[in-house]
C-alpha cells in the first residue's frame, strides 16, 4: 500500500464473482484502500479524507446487487457508499459520538437492513441501513460487536455479541435488547 497507508486496522472482501469482487483495507490515518485484482494492487478509495483512521469496514452480503460498503472511524462516525467505494455519504444520525470502533452488518442485511456499531458510548443499532442509529444495551464503552448466524437467536432473531470494557453482553433478538453474560461459565452478578 505504500508508506502513506499506515497500519491496517480492518479488512473486508465483497462476496460474489468477478469482476465485481473487491477487497477493502482500512488504515490507521491513511484512509481506505481498494483492490479489484485480489490484492495485487491497491488504490486509495476516493471521496474520503486521506488521513482518516478507518477502524472497521463492512460489505453488504448483497454487494453484487446494491454495491453497499460501510466504514467506521474513531473520529468521523459511519460513512456509506452505494457504488462500491467510489462516493460516500455520512450515516451517523442518532450516534452520540463520532468514535466508532467496529461496525457489523447482519447476515440478512439485504432484507433486514440491521447494523450494529461499538462506540466509546456503548452499542448502537440501526434497522434502516444506517440512516438512523439508536443506543441499545449498556451505556459503557463498547470495544467489539458481532452477529451470530441467521436464526441463532430466539424466535428467529439473530444472536449478537458485544464486548465492552466491563465484559460481554449478548442479544437474542438481533441487537434490540442486551444482557450481561459471563466468559467464565458462571452467571454474571
Amino acid at each position: 500500500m505504500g508508506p502513506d497507508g499506515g497500519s491496517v486496522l480492518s479488512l473486508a472482501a465483497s462476496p460474489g464473482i468477478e469482476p465485481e469482487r473487491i477487497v477493502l483495507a482500512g488504515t490507521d490515518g491513511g484512509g481506505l484502500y481498494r483492490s479489484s485484482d485480489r490484492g495485487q494492487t491497491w488504490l486509495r478509495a476516493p471521496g474520503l479524507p486521506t488521513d482518516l483512521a478507518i477502524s472497521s469496514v463492512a460489505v453488504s452480503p448483497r454487494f453484487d446487487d446494491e454495491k453497499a460498503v460501510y466504514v467506521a472511524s474513531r473520529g468521523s462516525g459511519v460513512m456509506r457508499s452505494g457504488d462500491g467505494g467510489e462516493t460516500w455519504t455520512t450515516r451517523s444520525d442518532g450516534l452520540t459520538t463520532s468514535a466508532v470502533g467496529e461496525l457489523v452488518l447482519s447476515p440478512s442485511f439485504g432484507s433486514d437492513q440491521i447494523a450494529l456499531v461499538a462506540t466509546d458510548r456503548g452499542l448502537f443499532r440501526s434497522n434502516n441501513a444506517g440512516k438512523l442509529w439508536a443506543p441499545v444495551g449498556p451505556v459503557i464503552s463498547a470495544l467489539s460487536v458481532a452477529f451470530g448466524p441467521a436464526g441463532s437467536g430466539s424466535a428467529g432473531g439473530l444472536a449478537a455479541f458485544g464486548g465492552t470494557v466491563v465484559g460481554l453482553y449478548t442479544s437474542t433478538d438481533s441487537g434490540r435488547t442486551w444482557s450481561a453474560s459471563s466468559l467464565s461459565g458462571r452467571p454474571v452478578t
Side-chain angles (χ1 to χ4, degrees):
M1 277 189 245
D4 58 346
S7 300
V8 176
L9 300 176
S10 58
L11 293 165
S14 65
I17 57 172
E18 303 293 344
E20 300 299 325
R21 187 154 198 145
I22 62 168
V23 181
L24 299 160
T27 67
D28 187 11
L32 182 70
Y33 284 78
R34 184 178 191 267
S35 174
S36 57
D37 60 5
R38 299 180 181 182
Q40 297 301 308
T41 59
W42 296 86
L43 297 172
R44 185 173 277 135
L48 291 172
T50 59
D51 61 348
L52 196 63
I54 305 292
S55 55
S56 189
V57 182
V59 178
S60 171
R62 292 187 44 195
F63 181 81
D64 288 345
D65 296 329
E66 57 191 31
K67 306 289 185 262
V69 176
Y70 290 78
V71 297
S73 169
R74 289 192 179 107
S76 297
V78 175
M79 281 81 53
R80 179 191 185 274
S81 172
D83 56 14
E86 296 294 323
T87 60
W88 298 87
T89 56
T90 300
R91 288 284 179 104
S92 297
D93 288 349
L95 292 177
T96 58
T97 180
S98 62
V100 179
E102 188 164 11
L103 178 147
V104 293
L105 306 178
S106 88
S108 306
F109 183 78
S111 59
D112 67 20
Q113 297 190 332
I114 296 173
L116 299 172
V117 292
T119 77
D120 65 338
R121 297 210 179 137
L123 298 165
F124 287 77
R125 181 182 187 269
S126 172
N127 63 1
N128 58 8
K131 292 177 186 165
L132 183 64
W133 297 92
V136 291
V139 184
I140 53 176
S141 186
L143 306 170
S144 58
V145 64
F147 276 107
S152 57
S154 63
L158 294 168
F161 307 91
T164 73
V165 294
V166 296
L168 178 67
Y169 284 79
T170 59
S171 170
T172 59
D173 58 7
S174 303
R176 285 184 196 89
T177 60
W178 296 82
S179 300
S181 188
S182 174
L183 294 175
S184 66
R186 295 184 305 254
V188 175
T189 57

